[in-house]
């Protein structure tokens, strides 16, 4: 089974990490107007797999920030269209 989901974040979207120490696994949530995304652990999947996923997610998020910063740097005067597309 495959699935695709788009999550369009804006200034009202928030990211929250719920931490419970060693009592239970953490939960990561992204909440926006009319949509949310929750990332959590299922006991049927080995914790090593969850850690690998979390590390991949963190790396992809870091790369996303770098790419977004590059894109933002191409914008001039507050315009929303990069110079190369004008």
């Amino acid at each position: 089974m495959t699935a695709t989901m788009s999550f369009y974040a804006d200034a009202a979207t928030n990211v929250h990490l719920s931490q419970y120490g060693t009592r239970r696994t953490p939960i990561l949530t992204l909440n926006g107007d009319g949509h949310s995304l929750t990332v959590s652990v299922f006991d049927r999947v080995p914790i090593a797999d969850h850690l690998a996923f979390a590390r991949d997610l963190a790396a992809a998020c870091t790369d996303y920030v770098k790419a977004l910063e590059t894109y933002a740097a191409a914008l001039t005067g507050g315009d929303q269209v990069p110079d190369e597309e004008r």
Side-chain angles (χ1 to χ4, degrees):
M1 179 173 119
T2 61
T4 302
M5 182 179 106
S6 297
F7 189 94
Y8 300 102
D10 59 21
T13 302
N14 66 64
V15 178
H16 181 76
L17 174 63
S18 299
Q19 298 182 70
Y20 306 99
T22 58
R23 294 186 324 241
R24 59 181 280 204
T25 60
I27 299 171
L28 178 66
T29 57
L30 289 78
N31 292 305
D33 185 28
H35 58 272
S36 66
L37 173 67
T38 302
V39 178
S40 61
V41 171
F42 291 103
D43 291 336
R44 66 181 178 264
V45 178
I47 193 67
D49 292 351
H50 287 290
L51 285 167
F53 170 78
R55 289 179 181 120
D56 288 347
L57 178 61
C61 287
T62 297
D63 290 345
Y64 176 73
V65 169
K66 289 176 188 174
L68 193 56
E69 288 172 339
T70 299
Y71 176 81
L75 302 176
T76 59
D79 294 336
Q80 294 296 307
V81 179
D83 291 334
E84 64 209 34
E85 293 182 13
R86 289 185 200 181

